[in-house]
Amino acid sequence: MGLVGPVELLVLTFPGEHLAGSVVDVISDVVTRGDVTILDLLFISRSADGTVHTRDLDDLDDGSDILALADLTGAPNVLVSDEDIALIGNSLTPGLSAAVVVYEQTWALNVARAVRDAGGEVGLHVRVPAETAMTAMIASESQLPA
């Protein structure tokens, strides 16, 4: 196996059992541009009676909005464990659903390859939480001369 870029799991929750077309469009866009590669994708819903249902792309109805992402996924991977599925499903409020997307940050992989080809190496890769970044940016703006 070759290099792998940073891999992340994203859980998108929404009411009912439909992922908005606008969300599908944005995900499709970042995949088509080559910024990310979807490694695993599944759909979890919790009915009004509390029953959790899990479906992967093969189990979805033809009318499901998330099916639009099927063409963007490679060979199916099983990267979301049964424990992950249970945790996500049990955390959903009845009547909510979740799209679970495991993706590789392909852009970072491409940068790492270019750096290695140039004889360098990635010395450090740290994910900064959004809240921390926003706080730092707000603080730096308040220090700029008026």
Side-chain angles (χ1 to χ4, degrees):
M1 173 174 261
L3 293 175
V4 175
V7 174
E8 298 193 21
L9 180 138
L10 179 64
V11 178
L12 308 170
T13 61
F14 46 92
E17 293 195 16
H18 296 285
L19 181 60
S22 59
V23 175
V24 171
D25 291 345
V26 170
I27 293 171
S28 296
D29 184 51
V30 296
V31 171
T32 301
R33 284 196 326 250
D35 295 336
V36 301
T37 300
I38 295 176
L39 302 175
D40 199 3
L41 178 65
L42 60 122
F43 187 82
I44 302 173
S45 60
R46 188 165 194 184
S47 62
D49 69 3
T51 305
V52 175
H53 305 276
T54 303
R55 296 174 285 165
D56 60 24
L57 289 174
D58 295 335
D59 299 328
L60 295 174
D61 303 325
D62 289 337
S64 177
D65 297 327
I66 201 170
L67 267 180
L69 299 175
D71 293 337
L72 301 175
T73 62
N77 293 292
V78 183
L79 301 175
V80 182
S81 71
D82 290 340
E83 291 81 18
D84 294 331
I85 292 168
L87 178 67
I88 295 165
N90 291 329
S91 70
L92 289 173
T93 302
L96 291 182
S97 297
V100 182
V101 184
V102 179
Y103 65 95
E104 174 186 39
Q105 293 186 32
T106 312
W107 69 268
L109 174 61
N110 293 337
V111 170
R113 278 192 187 122
V115 168
R116 286 193 175 102
D117 290 348
E121 62 182 57
V122 177
L124 180 64
H125 178 180
V126 177
R127 180 158 198 209
V128 178
E131 298 81 18
T132 303
M134 287 298 296
T135 301
M137 288 189 287
I138 290 168
S140 70
E141 287 176 1
S142 67
Q143 296 176 7
L144 293 175

